[in-house]
Amino acid sequence: MDMMVMRTRSSSSSCSFFVAIVLVFSSLCLANSEHLDSTTTTMRIGTSSTAKQKCNVYQGSWVFDNSYPLYDSRACPFIRKEFDCQKYGRPDKSYLKYKWKPKDCEIPRFDGRDFLKRFKGKKIMFIGDSISNNHWESLLCLLYTAVPGTNTIGQANGSVTTITFKDFGVSVSLFMSPYLVDIEEQRIGHVLKLNSLKNGNIWKEMDVLIFNSWLWWYRNDSRQQWDFIQDGKKIVKDMDRMDAFRKGLMTWAKWVDSTVDTAKTKVMFQGITPSHYDGKGWNKPGVINCGSETKPISGSIYPGGLPRAWFVLKDVLNQIRKPVHFLDITTLSQLRKDGHPSKYNVFGGMDCTHWCLAGVQDTWSQLLYVALTT
């Protein structure tokens, strides 16, 4: 299979960046006694090196902070045109100026150089759909802009795209797998196999895994990637999508318990990402998209509540015997109805599913940093 290679080098004495990067994707559409507590991260606060406090970093609110954003999107060569809201004319900038403030503690500001030093020689991989792509690019931007003059090399091969920070030996990969379980082409068509997960042989070799799945499970239009669903020996044209989602997640969970060496590999699962196409969720009935939203919802509670898929995911994660951290970004992202590209993207279409970069997903990366380092 053909391999695509790209190299970038930035200079600390120049504002220009040379970028030779082509990322090819087929479509925009896009833990029990041993566990890390699935919603609480213990982190070090205060001035004493021994001072620790239990803090649920996923409960809090958004506060204005003029020191944000964490980077200038113009300085990052990895942002897809669909997510580069400032480049494509978004007139407001206030959405860039909010930081996440947990209720009971302060979380450290993302330190890209520290991240690269801590994970020197390690392999990090995001696995999922276009939301994983979005998050992957956020982490790449945070790392790249933290080390001016660093050398990167990129490789794309099939479903995998990897950016390596050569000076640190850190690779950050994206593996496109919207359902996590397999889709196979058979005589009858493309079959979504709820009990099959073959790509795990690649995933288990990584040092950090960040999984995500949900966005594609409810699609039933021309973008649907399968013609039939196989559950055990039974093949059907369709089935209850939430039930299919649970079954697919259980296959993934069994793979983690049976195959992943969690002494070597840290496993994360990202929470359900919200969309903002229905104003009833934020007490604005009649609003049909995020196009006019410029501020977060105040406070810590989303009026529309958690989506059903969140409870399914949480239940599956609680059944895994091995340590898996729940990167629970759902509620904090629900509060950010202002954080989507809306029409400010290369296509000009209304997008209230993905996220502007810089923006909300940089907080996801910050919380990933906290989960990995505390």
Side-chain angles (χ1 to χ4, degrees):
M1 186 173 293
D2 292 339
M3 176 87 57
M4 176 175 63
V5 178
M6 52 274 188
R7 298 174 184 271
T8 66
R9 181 175 179 85
S10 64
S11 170
S12 58
S13 60
S14 169
C15 293
S16 65
F17 292 84
F18 171 77
V19 181
I21 180 169
V22 181
L23 302 179
V24 180
F25 300 97
S26 60
S27 173
L28 167 64
C29 295
L30 324 136
N32 303 7
S33 63
E34 295 180 68
H35 291 204
L36 287 174
D37 187 309
S38 64
T39 57
T40 305
T41 298
T42 302
M43 54 181 301
R44 200 179 296 275
I45 61 173
T47 57
S48 170
S49 62
T50 60
K52 279 191 176 184
Q53 174 182 332
K54 279 278 190 178
C55 172
N56 187 335
V57 296
Y58 304 111
Q59 292 181 351
S61 59
W62 293 94
V63 297
F64 190 85
D65 188 330
N66 206 42
S67 71
Y68 275 58
L70 296 174
Y71 58 88
D72 186 336
S73 59
R74 294 172 297 181
C76 180
F78 305 112
I79 302 175
R80 279 174 59 162
K81 295 176 181 179
E82 295 90 340
F83 313 143
D84 201 346
C85 305
Q86 288 297 306
K87 181 177 180 179
Y88 288 93
R90 181 162 177 167
D92 63 307
K93 290 183 169 59
S94 62
Y95 73 96
L96 295 167
K97 297 293 185 178
Y98 288 89
K99 77 171 182 179
W100 179 246
K101 174 65 175 68
K103 179 182 178 182
D104 297 319
C105 62
E106 292 283 346
I107 55 176
R109 193 177 179 94
F110 189 94
D111 186 334
R113 184 176 294 275
D114 176 70
F115 188 104
L116 289 167
K117 288 180 177 179
R118 285 176 182 263
F119 290 93
K120 186 173 183 178
K122 302 298 185 180
K123 296 177 291 186
I124 301 165
M125 179 176 279
F126 291 82
I127 303 103
D129 51 36
S130 57
I131 298 298
S132 293
N133 185 351
N134 211 169
H135 191 189
W136 174 68
E137 291 178 12
S138 163
L139 182 59
L140 288 175
C141 289
L142 287 163
L143 297 177
Y144 187 82
T145 56
V147 283
T150 193
N151 289 305
T152 63
I153 183 169
Q155 296 176 314
N157 190 358
S159 298
V160 187
T161 305
T162 300
I163 303 297
T164 301
F165 291 79
K166 293 182 65 180
D167 299 328
F168 300 88
V170 176
S171 69
V172 187
S173 300
L174 171 70
F175 192 111
M176 295 298 286
S177 180
Y179 302 95
L180 302 183
V181 292
D182 299 332
I183 296 177
E184 293 185 0
E185 188 173 359
Q186 299 182 0
R187 181 182 55 82
I188 58 174
H190 290 88
V191 180
L192 176 63
K193 309 189 76 171
L194 299 181
N195 309 112
S196 177
L197 194 156
K198 296 177 181 177
N199 290 320
N201 289 329
I202 298 172
W203 305 342
K204 69 180 182 179
E205 300 303 320
M206 302 296 116
D207 298 292
V208 179
L209 295 169
I210 306 103
F211 291 95
N212 155 60
S213 186
W214 168 241
L215 184 62
W216 283 80
W217 285 91
Y218 62 84
R219 294 201 187 283
N220 58 6
D221 54 21
S222 61
R223 296 169 295 178
Q224 180 178 296
Q225 297 183 351
W226 48 267
D227 305 301
F228 295 89
I229 298 176
Q230 182 171 353
D231 179 15
K233 294 183 179 180
K234 184 179 180 181
I235 297 178
V236 296
K237 187 64 178 175
D238 208 342
M239 64 184 291
D240 180 270
R241 299 300 182 85
M242 195 66 71
D243 190 30
F245 177 55
R246 179 186 291 275
K247 289 176 181 289
L249 286 179
M250 285 303 302
T251 296
W252 168 83
K254 291 173 183 176
W255 169 79
V256 172
D257 273 338
S258 66
T259 306
V260 180
D261 178 4
T262 51
K264 170 189 177 293
T265 302
K266 294 185 178 181
V267 182
M268 310 271 175
F269 206 109
Q270 173 207 297
I272 305 299
T273 186
S275 297
H276 290 93
Y277 289 103
D278 185 353
K280 287 185 293 185
W282 59 96
N283 293 331
K284 283 189 178 181
V287 172
I288 59 172
N289 59 52
C290 59
S292 299
E293 305 300 329
T294 59
K295 293 182 179 180
I297 295 170
S298 61
S300 59
I301 299 173
Y302 183 67
L306 288 164
R308 183 182 169 198
W310 183 93
F311 294 96
V312 171
L313 173 58
K314 186 73 182 316
D315 180 61
V316 171
L317 293 179
N318 285 341
Q319 296 182 52
I320 300 177
R321 297 188 305 274
K322 290 185 177 178
V324 174
H325 183 77
F326 185 22
L327 194 68
D328 189 10
I329 50 75
T330 301
T331 299
L332 67 89
S333 303
Q334 287 178 315
L335 299 173
R336 293 304 306 270
K337 56 187 171 58
D338 60 317
H340 302 287
S342 66
K343 66 180 180 180
Y344 302 105
N345 57 74
V346 66
F347 300 112
M350 184 59 62
D351 183 356
C352 300
T353 298
H354 300 90
W355 304 92
C356 293
L357 294 178
V360 173
Q361 285 191 317
D362 300 325
T363 293
W364 297 12
S365 295
Q366 184 181 15
L367 291 168
L368 173 65
Y369 174 61
V370 170
L372 288 172
T373 60
T374 58

